[in-house]
């Protein structure tokens, strides 16, 4: 599939936004770069035999801690020290302005 200005404009229109000429060119340039990289990947010998990666590192190299039972606090215990609370939550002051 070859990406064209018209195709990019049509796709943008279907997504309910418009692209300026500069934005359209930027999208086309990015698609061209992606297409070039895909062609490089296709040239790799035996690429079909390579299994897809699910993680960026070997999972056998990852050491996880053992799960241990811990003493959990009840909701009542958690809320017992709260200065301002309702039935299920601690009420805190708003820290983000509008």
């Amino acid at each position: 599939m070859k990406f064209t200005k018209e195709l990019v404009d049509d796709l943008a229109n279907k997504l309910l936004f418009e692209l300026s000429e500069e934005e359209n060119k930027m999208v086309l340039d990015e698609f061209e770069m992606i297409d070039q990289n895909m062609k490089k990947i296709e040239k790799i010998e035996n690429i079909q035999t390579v299994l897809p990666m699910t993680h960026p590192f070997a999972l056998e190299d990852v050491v996880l801690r053992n799960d241990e039972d811990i003493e959990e606090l009840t909701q009542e215990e958690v809320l017992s020290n709260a200065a301002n609370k309702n039935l299920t939550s601690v009420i805190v002051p708003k820290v983000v302005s509008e």
Side-chain angles (χ1 to χ4, degrees):
M1 170 190 249
K2 181 70 176 160
F3 286 92
T4 63
K5 177 189 180 318
E6 293 75 23
L7 178 61
V8 171
D9 282 337
D10 182 53
L11 293 172
N13 188 36
K14 288 178 181 177
L15 294 170
L16 303 176
F17 65 91
E18 291 183 29
L19 294 174
S20 67
E21 292 297 320
E22 182 180 319
E23 291 168 329
N24 189 301
K25 180 175 178 353
M26 182 184 70
V27 170
L28 283 173
D29 291 345
E30 288 180 12
F31 279 137
E32 180 61 31
M33 192 179 314
I34 292 169
D35 190 43
Q36 289 173 6
N37 288 328
M38 293 303 294
K39 287 177 182 172
K40 288 178 186 176
I41 291 171
E42 289 172 357
K43 291 179 183 177
I44 299 173
E45 292 182 22
N46 300 320
I47 190 74
Q48 296 82 10
T49 62
V50 177
L51 295 175
M53 291 179 67
T54 57
H55 294 80
F57 44 81
L59 289 180
E60 50 274 356
D61 295 341
V62 177
V63 179
L64 299 175
R65 65 171 172 78
N66 292 328
D67 287 337
E68 297 176 9
D69 288 337
I70 59 170
E71 183 180 331
E72 295 182 6
L73 299 174
T74 65
Q75 190 173 38
E76 293 79 27
E77 291 172 320
V78 171
L79 294 173
S80 67
N81 288 331
N84 195 7
K85 60 188 170 196
N86 62 20
L87 292 176
T88 59
S89 306
V90 175
I91 300 171
V92 297
K94 184 175 181 179
V95 295
V96 178
S97 62
E98 293 182 21

